[in-house]
Amino acid sequence: MADHYEVLGVARDASPDEIKKAYRRLARQLHPDVNPGEDAAERFKLVTHAYDVLSDPEQRQRYDVGGDGGFGGGGAGFGGFSDIFETFFGGGGGGARAGRPRSRRERGQDALVRVDLTLGDVVFGVHRDLEVDTAVLCETCQGSCCQPGTQPVTCDICHGTGQVQRTVRSLLGNVVTSQPCTTCQGYGTTIPYPCSTCQGQGRVRARRTVSIDIPAGVETGLRLQLPGSGEVGPAGGPNGDLYLEVTVEPHDVFSRDGDDLLATLEVSMIDAILGTSVTIDSLDGAVELDVRAGIQSGDVLTIRERGITPLRGSGRGDLRVGVQVVTPGHLDPKSRALVQELAKRTRPAPPHLAEFHPGLFSKLRDKFKR
Ligand code: ZN
């Protein structure tokens, strides 16, 4: 803090008369009415403070021996500083800046429901009626929180402002603070006759049915947002949002790879040799599949557009069926004789080493990757 003598531009042994003259000169120069700059206002406060201290013999003496008379509690007549203080903390002006009362109406919370889907639901999309437990508007009071025919009344403690002023003494003077009124919780009104249906909350918990079309192509973990379908707010405030979190149950035959569906077709060795046609149950219903003669384990049969409808975009993925040839584990003597006859005729290549490949499953996966 600047030295008070320097601020006034006087010597340390200046007489009270010299101090008064110096102050008047500077005050005329720096007074906010004359000189409306921020710097001038600051300097004016410093000058005024310096004069307050040095014009009081007792304070001047204390200041001279090392203390600042203005801060010791004997700072009578020093108004400038507490003005600044109140400007900073918004407490001044005798409550002129009283805060607004807060509203009972608030936005309701978001709600989350989980929904289990089958893979078939995912392929085509599905309509669901979901039971949701949330807060809904109280029918009795329509969110007013009051018994029908009654109204909130202005709080007599805060007179409707929702705030009470409290004056706190501090080293720097009296500080006025505003706090929410504890009688009305800051609402500015009290409810003499709360609605008996909702205990004055304006809403009640209830089960309701939400109808929703779940689009095709969703997957586990996806959240669908239904704006405005969540809980109604206190006192009938706007609804929050409802989120649906999707879980897709695993299917015992089909699995998903992007928008494609995957399955395995087990083909007997005989059918693999001779070829056949087969009807399979896809998620779309029966599909005719042609198993050509000489088909191999790991071959992939692709049925176009029998996969999943993408969540965004159009068309459908494919159904891809990987072939696994099944060798019979046991043959009756006559069949065995026939196969031995076949072996003599076709002279199949004897077993021989070839490059290692890690199992049918991986082999299928590799083929699917294209
Ligand atoms: Zn009510």
Side-chain angles (χ1 to χ4, degrees), residues 138 140-141 145 195 197-198 202:
C138 173
T140 307
C141 66
C145 310
C195 171
T197 305
C198 63

Side-chain angles (χ1 to χ4, degrees), residues 271-291:
D271 284 337
I273 292 168
L274 299 177
T276 185
S277 75
V278 62
T279 304
I280 61 163
D281 286 327
S282 79
L283 293 172
D284 282 36
V287 173
E288 197 80 357
L289 259 191
D290 185 39
V291 178

Side-chain angles (χ1 to χ4, degrees), residues 201-221:
Q201 300 301 303
R203 56 179 186 165
V204 290
R205 292 212 76 81
R207 173 161 292 200
R208 68 201 164 96
T209 304
V210 176
S211 287
I212 176 181
D213 287 313
I214 298 170
V218 297
E219 51 194 315
T220 294

Side-chain angles (χ1 to χ4, degrees), residues 20-38:
K20 194 185 257 179
K21 272 184 188 160
Y23 170 67
R24 282 189 178 156
R25 183 173 46 80
L26 286 167
R28 268 199 296 273
Q29 195 184 316
L30 298 169
H31 195 279
D33 291 347
V34 183
N35 193 338
E38 236 180 75

